[in-house]
Amino acid sequence: MANIISDETIEYVGILAKLELSEEEKEQAKQDMGKMLDYIDKLNELNTEKVEPMTHIFPVMNVFREDIVENGDQREEMLSNAPEQKNGAYMVPQTVE
């Protein structure tokens, strides 16, 4: 499959990646991409019919704790520290006209 990578393809990938590649770099990229495609072809030969898809290599369970309110409603206590308040909210100076 490595033979299908043309100079135009490398040029196009370079443009998409916003890279200025020298001729040596283009040739190296062409070889590298060819090796990647060859490896993908090799992987496609594997029989994965009975293999279940997975999202992670390790069995990961939900590691988050339950969201439990511990300190309750302290709105009045917090607003007592505000220099100004209106309708249960902090009053701040206007910054945009």
Side-chain angles (χ1 to χ4, degrees), residues 9-50:
T9 302
I10 296 296
E11 192 72 36
Y12 183 65
V13 170
I15 291 169
L16 290 176
K18 298 184 187 282
L19 296 174
E20 292 182 24
L21 301 173
S22 68
E23 289 303 317
E24 285 179 357
E25 292 170 325
K26 288 179 186 178
E27 193 57 40
Q28 184 63 47
K30 192 174 179 181
Q31 291 174 10
D32 291 343
M33 290 176 95
K35 289 177 185 176
M36 285 185 261
L37 291 175
D38 288 341
Y39 188 71
I40 290 170
D41 281 345
K42 191 172 193 172
L43 290 175
N44 284 334
E45 294 173 8
L46 294 174
N47 181 5
T48 58
E49 199 170 300
K50 294 182 181 179

Side-chain angles (χ1 to χ4, degrees), residues 32-77:
D32 291 343
M33 290 176 95
K35 289 177 185 176
M36 285 185 261
L37 291 175
D38 288 341
Y39 188 71
I40 290 170
D41 281 345
K42 191 172 193 172
L43 290 175
N44 284 334
E45 294 173 8
L46 294 174
N47 181 5
T48 58
E49 199 170 300
K50 294 182 181 179
V51 178
E52 289 189 34
M54 62 182 183
T55 58
H56 201 280
I57 192 168
F58 301 110
V60 177
M61 304 301 172
N62 187 356
V63 294
F64 300 112
R65 65 173 172 77
E66 284 293 320
D67 190 11
I68 301 170
V69 177
E70 295 178 0
N71 55 1
D73 184 19
Q74 298 177 350
R75 174 182 282 210
E76 295 303 320
E77 186 179 332

